[in-house]
Amino acid sequence: MQQTTPPWRLLLGYVRPHRRTLFAGAVLSLLTGAAGLLLPLVARELIADLSHDRPIGGALALMTALVVLNAVLGGLGSYVLRRTAESVVLGARKALSSYLLRLRITAVDRTEPGDLMARITSDTTLLREVTTDSLVGLGTGGLTLVATVVMMGFVDPVLLAVTLGVVVCTALVIGLIVPRINRASRRAQDAVGVMGASLERVLGALRTVKASGAEHREERALHAAAEESWRQSVRAAMWSAAAGNTAGLAIQVAFITVLAVGGARVATGAIGIGTLVAFLLYVFYLMSPIQQLVGAVAQYQTGSAALTRIQEALALPAEPVSRPAPLPASDARPASVAFADVRFRYADDLPFVHHGVTFAVPPRGMTAFVGPSGAGKTTVFSLIERFYDPEDGVVTLDGRPLADWDLSELRSAIGYVEQDAPVLSGSLLDNLLLGNPDADDDSVRRVLKTTRLDGLVGRLPQGLETLVGHRGTKLSGGERQRVAIARALLRRPRLLMLDEATSQLDAVNEAALRDTVADVARSTTVLVVAHRLSTVTTADRIVVMDAGRVRAVGTHRELVGADPLYAELAATQFLSAADSPPQSVN
């Protein structure tokens, strides 16, 4: 993905809300540096007092005060800067997590969830260092370096020229190292994302991996990603260490050079011994801002890689921000749905799933969608929820194109039970209230009874507060389906969509929920995708789909005689006649 904003501008965007505290921390750091810069001058006066047999008590007291002041200001400044850095990380994580929750499903389909998790955890963590070490380090280190150079020039311009010659040569060497740090850091962060994606992939299907005996193969993939991250991180560390040691070597070379040149100047009487000592102290003091600047540049290269990855996540297609819409009232009118010549495919390089799908569902009643696997039935529901938008044609709800609806308002009118009936980690009550957190106890009890979950709740050790495990692993498949249906019913939807919602239920519970759905259909609009024709025979209308097209619409009795595909499906399900009793077929 092409980068559109320089990393430093992204960093400033995250820092801007905390600019006052960051400025306060920077000022404290500068005051710490200023206190340190005064020490060599006091030391020069101390040496002069000693050489002239003058009292040195005042100079010692002043040096002690400067040392204490330096420590206090340094500690306070460090705390303020680190607290600000943590606030920057918090802001970045909140912004990124909010954005990821609004991602279009199309973006989620082509992005590894584990990689997105790495961006919100590992990448944002690097902002902590880049805020304090890079942004503040560049400012305070740069100003301290300039101030130190000015003071060195004040002490002796000749020795300053010698020192600057060494520093310039060092800067040229470091300039060659910095791009290598950037490349290695970016590759290391990408490898962390790959490792997160691999781990999420394995943990999401751990039972399948174990049952397939694939632990060792998946282990090798995880280890390969971890080792690649290690290699690139070590490479970045190597170049960072090279930059830091180059700076340290420069200071040592400068010290030796200054000592030699300064000693010669002392021997000729050009400067005094006190001046040479003061200048040598400044040379040592020069080490801190130079290493701070080198560290800031190196840290910025690492942080810029993380910032680029965060920007890439924030550039993924997302839904517009909208306020939560109220759920429908209990007496709200049912919705109508219509598809008009809809054509759709999941990606530009994939074949079309819908080839001009057209049908209309009036308010109230149950409409069933049947057809072979891959006919495009589930895609109908995804388009109604606006998880995707059609390439051509129009989908309407209540006669309004879905594009004209506010997304929150649209989805608040819909109850959707997905094919795999996902259940989230947390308590059973948390899952039931996911779509309607304000539901009262009476509504919950009523829905539990309707979906036959009241018996399950009675058996659970903590009742509704029982934890259901990761993805509901403590529940059976049928229980998860009933939880998903109860969750949808608590929303009081004007349109209820059930995608194979009873496929894992036993015959008794299926019959009970079939009666529940039929009862709900008297007051709302119900769309059902089903392969069990025992459910379909009770529908007010049936939409037969095949190869992405609607081939017939009618009742069970009409379609058995009019549509060969439906008749074949009915015969396969032992439902060859309109008056045949419903049967549950797995």
Side-chain angles (χ1 to χ4, degrees), residues 104-107 109-110 339 341-357 374-376 378-380 382-383 386-393 395 547-549:
R104 298 296 304 269
I105 298 298
T106 51
D109 288 344
R110 62 174 182 259
F339 275 50
D341 198 26
V342 170
R343 300 178 74 247
F344 171 76
R345 55 183 171 179
Y346 285 98
D348 293 340
D349 57 345
L350 295 177
F352 278 93
V353 179
H354 283 176
H355 304 271
V357 171
T378 297
T379 302
V380 168
S382 294
L383 291 174
R386 278 204 73 192
F387 295 151
Y388 307 95
D389 292 320
E391 285 198 16
D392 296 301
V395 182
R549 292 184 172 85

Side-chain angles (χ1 to χ4, degrees), residues 460-474:
L460 293 174
Q462 281 85 40
L464 286 172
E465 297 300 330
T466 301
L467 300 179
V468 297
H470 177 61
R471 298 186 178 180
T473 52
K474 295 182 181 180

Side-chain angles (χ1 to χ4, degrees), residues 180-181 184 187 230-240:
R180 292 171 171 79
I181 299 175
R187 289 169 183 165
W230 174 84
R231 279 193 295 271
Q232 298 301 335
S233 296
V234 167
R235 185 170 298 172
M238 177 187 70
W239 288 116
S240 296

Side-chain angles (χ1 to χ4, degrees), residues 260-326:
V261 176
R265 287 174 63 76
V266 170
T268 61
I271 58 174
I273 186 66
T275 298
L276 178 59
V277 170
F279 198 92
L280 288 173
L281 288 175
Y282 275 124
V283 170
F284 274 115
Y285 195 81
L286 197 64
M287 181 181 296
S288 177
I290 287 180
Q291 289 188 328
Q292 190 176 17
L293 284 174
V294 171
V297 173
Q299 190 62 55
Y300 175 76
Q301 299 306 313
T302 302
S304 65
L307 284 164
T308 300
R309 283 172 48 82
I310 293 172
Q311 184 192 22
E312 288 174 354
L314 293 174
L316 294 172
E319 297 170 346
V321 180
S322 60
R323 294 181 178 179

